[in-house]
Amino acid sequence: MIKLKNISKICNSTTVLDNITLEIKKSEFFVIVGASGSGKTTLIKTINRLLVQSEGEICIDDKDISTYNLRELRLNIGYVLQKDTLFPNLTVCQNIALIAEMKKWKKSKILEEVKRLLELVGLDPKTYLNKYPHQISGGQRQRVGILRAIITSPKILLMDEPFSALDPISRNNLQDLIKKIHDEFKITTIFVTHDMNEALKLGDRICVMEAGKIVQVGTREEIQNNPKNDYVKTLFTVGDKNE
């Protein structure tokens, strides 16, 4: 599905990504973890070409992403950030509908799908459809941001620490929700976090990064039971203590 081969990224003479080679399977929930500055966010931004790698090749469905039309590429990749990115002057309905409108969906189809998705995430359309972002909670805004990213069933969903600013209860609820959404829509999901417990809860496979390099990739069992080095062992030992 997604193949990265010998990806490096140099910014201001600093190597941010160092010869990354990685394959992410179709419909996989793939989690990238590591300390701040390890290159996690830079890596996922190369997948939708928000950043362009200095070296190497990235392919989606065996096609080099540099050959895709940029608008087409990004319309088929959902993106959810930690920061609240809803447009404050648009209603919940209008925010969710943005990508569908860009894809020229009929208004009736958009409204039907917005209502269905709101119900899926526990937000009554009658109550929330015409509310503005400032009228709903942070956790509810993140739900709306997720729905905006998935309304057109993109091939890929990128999530960059989307729950880290939330309180523990909201965070746990949204973790459960995103797993439910992933199980229903089977979208290939790449999820960045610095929370090891979150990684263990969500990931089909986990990729551990340090200083721009991949240290280990494996299932939660492989990572926990057979850490490749002391860095991985320490990360997930700390994670276990926080449970």
Side-chain angles (χ1 to χ4, degrees), residues 216-234:
Q216 184 173 359
V217 178
T219 64
R220 61 178 68 89
E221 292 81 10
E222 290 168 343
I223 294 287
Q224 284 185 300
N225 298 333
N226 298 292
K228 190 170 183 179
N229 59 22
D230 288 342
Y231 176 73
V232 178
K233 184 177 181 180
T234 300

Side-chain angles (χ1 to χ4, degrees), residues 117-139:
L117 290 173
L118 283 170
E119 289 174 351
L120 177 69
V121 301
L123 298 177
D124 183 359
K126 292 179 182 177
T127 301
Y128 291 95
L129 202 64
N130 295 310
K131 285 188 179 291
Y132 287 87
H134 73 273
Q135 296 175 311
I136 60 178
S137 70

Side-chain angles (χ1 to χ4, degrees), residues 194-198 235-243:
H194 62 266
D195 184 319
M196 306 310 147
N197 291 321
E198 187 167 67
L235 280 181
F236 285 91
T237 299
V238 170
D240 289 342
K241 290 178 181 177
N242 289 334
E243 286 183 348

Side-chain angles (χ1 to χ4, degrees), residues 88-129:
N89 59 321
L90 300 182
T91 65
V92 164
C93 181
Q94 291 168 332
N95 267 288
I96 297 171
L98 280 172
I99 305 301
E101 289 176 345
M102 291 179 187
K103 288 194 166 190
K104 309 296 184 184
W105 282 21
K106 291 182 179 179
K107 288 185 177 181
S108 58
K109 180 182 177 181
I110 293 174
L111 182 58
E112 180 182 341
E113 188 65 7
V114 169
K115 288 180 177 179
R116 186 183 79 83
L117 290 173
L118 283 170
E119 289 174 351
L120 177 69
V121 301
L123 298 177
D124 183 359
K126 292 179 182 177
T127 301
Y128 291 95
L129 202 64

Side-chain angles (χ1 to χ4, degrees), residues 163-179:
F163 309 145
S164 60
L166 301 176
D167 64 86
I169 293 175
S170 296
R171 184 171 188 153
N172 186 65
N173 289 340
L174 281 171
Q175 289 167 353
D176 292 339
L177 176 64
I178 198 61
K179 282 296 285 183

Side-chain angles (χ1 to χ4, degrees), residues 1-219:
M1 173 63 178
I2 306 171
K3 296 180 181 178
L4 298 87
K5 185 177 180 181
N6 304 125
I7 298 299
S8 293
K9 177 66 177 177
I10 300 170
C11 297
N12 300 322
S13 301
T14 300
T15 300
V16 182
L17 298 176
D18 189 357
N19 198 33
I20 298 287
T21 294
L22 185 63
E23 185 169 342
I24 298 165
K25 303 168 187 175
K26 184 177 180 180
S27 301
E28 185 171 30
F29 201 117
F30 190 85
V31 177
I32 303 174
V33 300
S36 297
S38 60
K40 306 183 300 294
T41 294
T42 300
L43 182 60
I44 67 166
K45 283 184 175 180
T46 63
I47 294 172
N48 65 355
R49 300 197 73 204
L50 281 174
L51 293 174
V52 178
Q53 69 271 20
S54 305
E55 297 176 4
E57 180 182 70
I58 301 173
C59 293
I60 296 175
D61 293 334
D62 296 319
K63 181 179 177 182
D64 191 321
I65 63 169
S66 65
T67 66
Y68 279 86
N69 174 278
L70 188 58
R71 185 175 185 274
E72 177 189 348
L73 176 74
R74 290 181 180 164
L75 284 177
N76 285 293
I77 299 177
Y79 195 26
V80 182
L81 303 172
Q82 171 187 342
K83 183 180 177 183
D84 178 8
T85 57
L86 299 183
F87 290 96
N89 59 321
L90 300 182
T91 65
V92 164
C93 181
Q94 291 168 332
N95 267 288
I96 297 171
L98 280 172
I99 305 301
E101 289 176 345
M102 291 179 187
K103 288 194 166 190
K104 309 296 184 184
W105 282 21
K106 291 182 179 179
K107 288 185 177 181
S108 58
K109 180 182 177 181
I110 293 174
L111 182 58
E112 180 182 341
E113 188 65 7
V114 169
K115 288 180 177 179
R116 186 183 79 83
L117 290 173
L118 283 170
E119 289 174 351
L120 177 69
V121 301
L123 298 177
D124 183 359
K126 292 179 182 177
T127 301
Y128 291 95
L129 202 64
N130 295 310
K131 285 188 179 291
Y132 287 87
H134 73 273
Q135 296 175 311
I136 60 178
S137 70
Q140 290 166 344
R141 288 196 294 272
Q142 279 300 74
R143 280 173 161 78
V144 173
I146 292 168
L147 298 185
R148 181 174 64 187
I150 69 167
I151 186 170
T152 60
S153 298
K155 288 183 177 181
I156 298 165
L157 178 62
L158 305 178
M159 305 190 78
D160 190 3
E161 302 199 34
F163 309 145
S164 60
L166 301 176
D167 64 86
I169 293 175
S170 296
R171 184 171 188 153
N172 186 65
N173 289 340
L174 281 171
Q175 289 167 353
D176 292 339
L177 176 64
I178 198 61
K179 282 296 285 183
K180 176 183 174 182
I181 288 172
H182 178 260
D183 291 344
E184 176 167 337
F185 291 89
K186 304 298 183 185
I187 300 171
T188 303
T189 302
I190 305 172
F191 188 102
V192 166
T193 183
H194 62 266
D195 184 319
M196 306 310 147
N197 291 321
E198 187 167 67
L200 292 170
K201 179 176 179 177
L202 297 177
D204 295 324
R205 285 191 301 152
I206 298 167
C207 171
V208 183
M209 292 188 67
E210 181 184 23
K213 295 183 179 182
I214 291 177
V215 180
Q216 184 173 359
V217 178
T219 64

